[in-house]
Amino acid sequence: MISKILVPTDGSKTAQKAAKYGVDLGKQLKASVIVLSVIDQRSFIGRAVPAAETARHVIEPIEDYLREAAEGYAGEIKKMCDKNGVQSKTVITKGHPVEEIVKAAKKSKADLIVMGSHGRSALAAAVLGSVAYGVMHKDTKIPVLVVKR
Amino acid sequence: MISKILVPTDGSKTAQKAAKYGVDLGKQLKASVIVLSVIDQRSFIGRAVPAAETARHVIEPIEDYLREAAEGYAGEIKKMCDKNGVQSKTVITKGHPVEEIVKAAKKSKADLIVMGSHGRSALAAAVLGSVAYGVMHKDTKIPVLVVKR
């Protein structure tokens, strides 16, 4: 019995397509949807520069901007849920997308993860983008429904 | 709206797990299930020996045996459908599993493919077995729900 579906989004076109699928599925299953948007720390904490040495006045505006974007993506999907009478909740976290998706899925006891095959940072040629690949690879038993580009 | 789910099986443990998930999902969605079992020609037409030169009296008993096994796997899932009041149909084909899964999905106009991450021939270390990987890679837009080991 599927009663909770996790729908992660990075605002990409495929994520939006997957979200639509996830919401439709939630409606048909009378399941609730947890919308997750991850503030990808890799995008503002450079690998070459240790985080502690990056000036706070540089990081904060970037983080604010990313948070706003994340809330925007998640909000759109929440609206879609409302419109379809699907119970939903949005979660915004900060970290590595793969880790955060798996963590949120476990924490919320999701029965299914519905996600796009390729997100923003995906190489066009790969079968799965790095995030979908990572979630698939993680040692979690939660099934993953992959919506293709 | 998901009304038709394709459930391929090779009789492996993960395929059985995926089938159970697919049937449950079909029940909850009031969708029908198409059970597909592919007689994998690679297992009896050796790569080193051209098919035309393999004696018929060697091939036929192997093919018969594999067909019986395929019908057995599919039949078990059909029974599971019957028990759960899920409308179902079994399809037995012969060829390469990836090609046959995609072909059957298109032909039957399936809205979703529910399959195991790893089948009989999968390397334990790989994120996805070769068949799940192949179906994911194929140029078909049908979403794939992967049930893990």
Side-chain angles (χ1 to χ4, degrees), chain A residues 35 70-80 90 92:
Chain A
V35 185
E71 285 169 353
Y73 306 145
E76 270 173 47
I77 300 170
K78 188 160 180 29
K79 251 186 235 163
M80 213 195 286
T90 63
I92 311 290

Side-chain angles (χ1 to χ4, degrees), chain B residues 86-105:
Chain B
V86 172
Q87 207 191 318
S88 69
K89 192 176 102 169
T90 63
V91 177
I92 312 289
T93 62
K94 200 167 74 176
H96 188 292
V98 174
E99 305 292 339
E100 294 301 315
I101 291 169
V102 172
K103 216 197 282 175

Side-chain angles (χ1 to χ4, degrees), chain B residues 38-127:
Chain B
V38 179
I39 301 167
D40 189 348
Q41 277 188 314
R42 293 170 306 174
S43 43
F44 60 96
I45 299 181
R47 278 152 213 233
V49 186
E53 289 174 24
T54 307
R56 187 162 281 189
H57 72 277
V58 174
I59 287 183
E60 279 182 352
I62 305 176
E63 189 176 333
D64 285 350
Y65 169 78
L66 291 172
R67 178 174 296 276
E68 234 169 78
E71 284 169 354
Y73 308 145
E76 271 173 46
I77 301 171
K78 187 160 181 29
K79 253 188 234 161
M80 210 196 288
C81 290
D82 292 348
K83 224 172 115 183
N84 283 281
V86 172
Q87 207 191 318
S88 69
K89 192 176 102 169
T90 63
V91 177
I92 312 289
T93 62
K94 200 167 74 176
H96 188 292
V98 174
E99 305 292 339
E100 294 301 315
I101 291 169
V102 172
K103 216 197 282 175
K106 283 182 183 167
K107 201 180 160 192
S108 62
K109 294 191 169 62
D111 306 295
L112 181 66
I113 301 170
V114 176
M115 66 187 298
S117 57
H118 296 78
R120 282 191 183 281
S121 61
L123 291 169
V127 170

Side-chain angles (χ1 to χ4, degrees), chain A residues 25-61:
Chain A
L25 189 60
K27 185 180 181 178
Q28 207 180 334
L29 289 169
K30 297 187 207 325
S32 67
V33 165
I34 297 146
V35 185
L36 173 69
S37 196
V38 180
I39 302 169
D40 189 348
Q41 278 189 313
R42 294 172 305 175
S43 42
F44 60 97
I45 298 180
R47 276 152 214 230
V49 186
E53 290 175 23
T54 307
R56 186 162 281 188
H57 72 276
V58 174
I59 288 184
E60 281 183 351

Side-chain angles (χ1 to χ4, degrees), chain A residues 95-111:
Chain A
H96 189 292
V98 173
E99 305 292 340
E100 294 301 316
I101 290 169
V102 173
K103 217 195 284 174
K106 284 182 183 167
K107 200 179 160 193
S108 62
K109 295 190 168 60
D111 307 294

Side-chain angles (χ1 to χ4, degrees), chain A residues 1-3 17 21 24-25 28-31 111-112 125-128 133 135-149, chain B residues 1-3 17 21 24-25 28-31 111-112 125-128 133 135-149:
Chain A
M1 186 83 184
I2 296 173
S3 63
K17 199 174 157 188
Y21 196 93
D24 282 350
L25 189 60
Q28 207 180 334
L29 289 169
K30 297 187 207 325
D111 307 294
L112 180 66
V127 170
L128 285 177
Y133 181 93
V135 171
M136 202 67 93
H137 188 67
K138 275 278 164 182
D139 190 24
T140 158
K141 298 289 178 202
I142 305 169
V144 183
L145 193 161
V146 177
V147 175
K148 296 184 189 182
R149 279 185 294 206
Chain B
M1 186 81 183
I2 296 174
S3 62
K17 199 174 157 190
Y21 196 94
D24 282 350
L25 189 61
Q28 207 180 335
L29 289 169
K30 298 185 204 331
D111 306 295
L112 181 66
V127 170
L128 285 176
Y133 181 93
V135 171
M136 202 67 94
H137 188 69
K138 274 280 164 179
D139 191 25
T140 158
K141 297 288 177 204
I142 304 170
V144 183
L145 193 159
V146 177
V147 174
K148 296 183 190 183
R149 279 185 294 206

